Structures are given as structure tokens and as C-alpha cells.
């Protein structure tokens, strides 16, 4: 009965969704909000619509259940669908997190919240699917958000920033959603159901894609701001060394055109490749430490070279861009530390093998 309840709940959990969220219905005083007293408006509507359909003779898959079993299924389905109200997500999560360590499969109450947890996992599971499937759907969802916020502006209603086409960024939004909502929930579910672990790996893969796209977009925006200096670019031919590992400099480099390679000390091992809009040199400029890699032009490049103080002056009034540079510094230093550790382990293994 619990499995049947979960299957029914997942089928009806977004039934007759019209592309407008609970906030819109409540703020606009819609008929649905009036009907459900502003309480989990859409979730109550999905449930009610689903059970109305199930009352039709040709659709009533529950008709042969006993009254007691029917009441149990209906109660469980309603609990599962109402739990998908994102306004209740964090309060529910705290309850579930506390219950994971004490979960008892023989306890009916524990099994019910596991059912609710599973339906919630399914409700927000887009990023559990392969990247080529999840990315277009994420874009479609943003268009739905934008359509609602456009309507809210016309009607003079409050607009949430993550739905506002003038403020929201798809990539940053997805990174925040995965890190703060999706992945923690699935990780807790996987503690109870280890067979879900491969899906955590898929979530991490998709997160890495979104982080890469987010950084690229922010790099493009950063380059646009720095371009306001109207400084002339410097041209480099393929094979030219732009930055040498170990040198000390306070300059940052912004790639206007072309592609560069991040190379190891031996100049042959390629660690990474960067294209138009990327920047480098920030670790040396902002941390004052020697360059951690060689940067070599892979193709003909045009690069804007700007000193640290000039960068900070250009970014005055753009605190998010400064934080972005600082975050990239931290990330690249961590990568450098891991490379050094891997190199030291490899050298140690080679010495032991030779010995």
C-alpha cells in the first residue's frame, strides 16, 4: 500500500499546474488561494484534482481497496504531495535529518516520512538526470519563472529575485539550488537507501557543469567591466609564453580573444585550457605569491593586462565581482595544492619502485 501511495503521489503531485507558484496565487488572491486558505495552495489543488479523477469509474484504480486501505492510501498520498511545498522544505529537512539515524522500518510513522522524502526527492530530481536532459529542462523552468515575474510586474505584485529576468542568472541559480537543496536531500535519502548513491555522483557531475558555466559567464561579465578602462590589448602568437611559473607579478590577464593553455613546470604537461572571456594571474596579483603555472598561447591571442590596483579601482562598486576573483583564487590554489600532492606521491612511488 505504501508503494502504491508513492506511485499515485508522484503521478498527481503537479497535476493541473499552470506555471504560477504559491506566492503568486496568494499575492494575487486567486480563486485557488481563496479555496485553500493560502495553505500549500498548489499542492492541495493537485491532490484534490487527482482524487476527483480517481473517482471516475474508468480511472478509479483504488475502487477494490477496502475502506480502511483506501483511507490509508489517501492519507499517505495527501501527506506526500503536501510535502512537496517548497515553502516547507527546510523545516521538513530538519525533521528528516534528525530521523535518519533513528530510522526504524518497522515503525509506520518512520515509513510515512520516508515516503514523503522520496516524493520530495523525485519532485526536484531534474539534476539527477543526464546533463543533456537536465540542462534544457532547467532552461525551460527559468522561462516559466520569467513569465511569472513579468506578469507580477504588470500586476504590481512582489517579485522574487531568483525569478526576475533582470536579476536572475540560470547558472548561479542552479549551483545554489543543487548545493543547498537538492544534493543535501538526496544525500540524506542515500543514507537510508544506499542504492541511490550513483545518483549522487550524477548530481555532482551536473553541479560541476553548472559551476563551469557560471564561472565562464561571470568571467565574461568581469571582462566587460574591465574593458571600460579602454586599455589596448597585447597580441601573442601561438606558442608564446605569457606567464612563467614562479615569477612574481601584480598583473592580471583578461583574454579578449584566442585560447591559452595552463602548463606544468615541464612545459609539456597541459593542466587546463581557457578561452575568450577567461582571466588568469589573479593568484599572484591578489595573494602576492609566485605564479603557480605557466600560461602559453595555444592560438593567436589578444590579452588585456591590468595591474591589481587598477582592477580593484575598475571593480569599485562591484563587490560580487571582487568576491568572484577571490573565490577563483581559492579554487586555483586548492587545485595547485592537489597537483603538488599528486606529484609528490608519484615521485615517492617511483623511488620505492626503483628501490
Amino acid at each position: 500500500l505504501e508503494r502504491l501511495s508513492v506511485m499515485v503521489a508522484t503521478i498527481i503531485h503537479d497535476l493541473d499546474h499552470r506555471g504560477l507558484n504559491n506566492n503568486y496565487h496568494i499575492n494575487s488572491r486567486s480563486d485557488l488561494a481563496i479555496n485553500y486558505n493560502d495553505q500549500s495552495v498548489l499542492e492541495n489543488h493537485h491532490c484534490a484534482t487527482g482524487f476527483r479523477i480517481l473517482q471516475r469509474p474508468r480511472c478509479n484504480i483504488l475502487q477494490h481497496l477496502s475502506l480502511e486501505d483506501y483511507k490509508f492510501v489517501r492519507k499517505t498520498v495527501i501527506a506526500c504531495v503536501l510535502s512537496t511545498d517548497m515553502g516547507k522544505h527546510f523545516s521538513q529537512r530538519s525533521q528528516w535529518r534528525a530521523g535518519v539515524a533513528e530510522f526504524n522500518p518497522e515503525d509506520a510513522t518512520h515509513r510515512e516520512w520516508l515516503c514523503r522524502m522520496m516524493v520530495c526527492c523525485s519532485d526536484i530530481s531534474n539534476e539527477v538526470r543526464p546533463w543533456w536532459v537536465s540542462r534544457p529542462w532547467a532552461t525551460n523552468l527559468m522561462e516559466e519563472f520569467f513569465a511569472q515575474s513579468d506578469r507580477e510586474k504588470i500586476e504590481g505584485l512582489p517579485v522574487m529575485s531568483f525569478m526576475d529576468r533582470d536579476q536572475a542568472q540560470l547558472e548561479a541559480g542552479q549551483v545554489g539550488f543543487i548545493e543547498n537543496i537538492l544534493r543535501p536531500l538526496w544525500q540524506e535519502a542515500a543514507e537510508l537507501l544506499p542504492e541511490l548513491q550513483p545518483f549522487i555522483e550524477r548530481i555532482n557531475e551536473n553541479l560541476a557543469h553548472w559551476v563551469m558555466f557560471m564561472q565562464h559567464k561571470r568571467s565574461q561579465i568581469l571582462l566587460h567591466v574591465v574593458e571600460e578602462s579602454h586599455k589596448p590589448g597585447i597580441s601573442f602568437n601561438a606558442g608564446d609564453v605569457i606567464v612563467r611559473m614562479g615569477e612574481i607579478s601584480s598583473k592580471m590577464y583578461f583574454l579578449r580573444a584566442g585560447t591559452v593553455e595552463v602548463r606544468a613546470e615541464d612545459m609539456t604537461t597541459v593542466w587546463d585550457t581557457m578561452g575568450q572571456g577567461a582571466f588568469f594571474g589573479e593568484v599572484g596579483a591578489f595573494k602576492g605569491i609566485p605564479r603557480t603555472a605557466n600560461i602559453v598561447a595555444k592560438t593567436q591571442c589578444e590579452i588585456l593586462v591590468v595591474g591589481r590596483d587598477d582592477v580593484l579601482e575598475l571593480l569599485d562598486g562591484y563587490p560580487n565581482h571582487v568576491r568572484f576573483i577571490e573565490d577563483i583564487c581559492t579554487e586555483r590554489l586548492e587545485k595547485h595544492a592537489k597537483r603538488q600532492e599528486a606529484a609528490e606521491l608519484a615521485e615517492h612511488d617511483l623511488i620505492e619502485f626503483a628501490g
Side-chain angles (χ1 to χ4, degrees), residues 175 178-179 183 203-212:
V175 169
I178 294 171
E179 289 183 337
R183 185 168 61 179
I203 290 170
N204 289 332
E205 290 172 7
N206 286 345
L207 174 61
H209 284 300
W210 284 118
V211 168
M212 180 183 68

Side-chain angles (χ1 to χ4, degrees), residues 56-242:
R56 299 173 187 172
R58 294 182 60 186
C59 303
N60 194 352
I61 61 174
L62 308 178
Q63 60 185 319
H64 296 301
L65 295 179
S66 67
L67 179 60
E68 183 179 351
D69 287 347
Y70 172 79
K71 286 182 176 180
F72 175 84
V73 170
R74 177 167 163 78
K75 173 179 174 289
T76 306
V77 169
I78 292 172
C80 287
V81 176
L82 293 186
S83 71
T84 63
D85 181 351
M86 291 304 295
K88 299 178 179 178
H89 177 81
F90 290 104
S91 61
Q92 290 184 141
R93 271 266 320 283
S94 63
Q95 295 172 5
W96 295 338
R97 187 164 52 248
V100 165
E102 302 173 357
F103 181 75
N104 177 8
E106 302 301 320
D107 187 320
T109 303
H110 288 194
R111 293 199 304 275
E112 182 190 287
W113 68 249
L114 178 60
C115 290
R116 291 191 284 120
M117 191 181 197
M118 290 300 95
V119 173
C120 284
C121 284
S122 301
D123 181 39
I124 58 174
S125 64
N126 181 53
E127 293 299 340
V128 180
R129 296 184 286 188
W131 173 250
W132 61 271
V133 176
S134 64
R135 187 184 182 190
W137 279 106
T139 303
N140 291 340
L141 180 61
M142 284 303 295
E143 289 303 320
E144 182 179 296
F145 286 171
F146 292 158
Q148 175 177 316
S149 66
D150 291 344
R151 183 169 176 171
E152 288 169 329
K153 290 175 184 178
I154 293 171
E155 296 178 9
L157 299 174
V159 177
M160 302 185 77
S161 60
F162 75 89
M163 301 178 75
D164 187 346
R165 70 172 70 248
D166 297 324
Q167 300 183 56
Q169 290 187 0
L170 171 62
E171 299 81 3
Q174 288 301 107
V175 169
F177 176 76
I178 294 171
E179 289 183 337
N180 299 310
I181 295 177
L182 175 66
R183 185 168 61 179
L185 177 60
W186 275 77
Q187 286 173 330
E188 287 159 15
E191 288 185 38
L192 294 175
L193 302 173
E195 55 266 50
L196 295 180
Q197 191 58 43
F199 295 108
I200 308 297
E201 296 167 9
R202 174 70 57 71
I203 290 170
N204 289 332
E205 290 172 7
N206 286 345
L207 174 61
H209 284 300
W210 284 118
V211 168
M212 180 183 68
F213 279 100
M214 179 183 70
Q215 291 180 350
H216 178 71
K217 189 165 189 175
R218 287 181 174 176
S219 295
Q220 295 279 358
I221 296 171
L222 185 60
L223 175 62
H224 176 73
V225 173
V226 173
E227 288 282 15
E228 294 177 2
S229 67
H230 303 294
K231 291 179 178 289
I234 299 176
S235 295
F236 293 87
N237 295 318
D240 287 350
V241 179
I242 303 166

Side-chain angles (χ1 to χ4, degrees), residues 11-26:
I11 291 170
I12 72 170
H13 85 282
D14 265 344
L15 193 59
D16 197 36
H17 197 300
R18 301 168 192 180
L20 300 166
N21 69 12
N22 283 338
N23 283 335
Y24 174 84
H25 284 288
I26 293 169

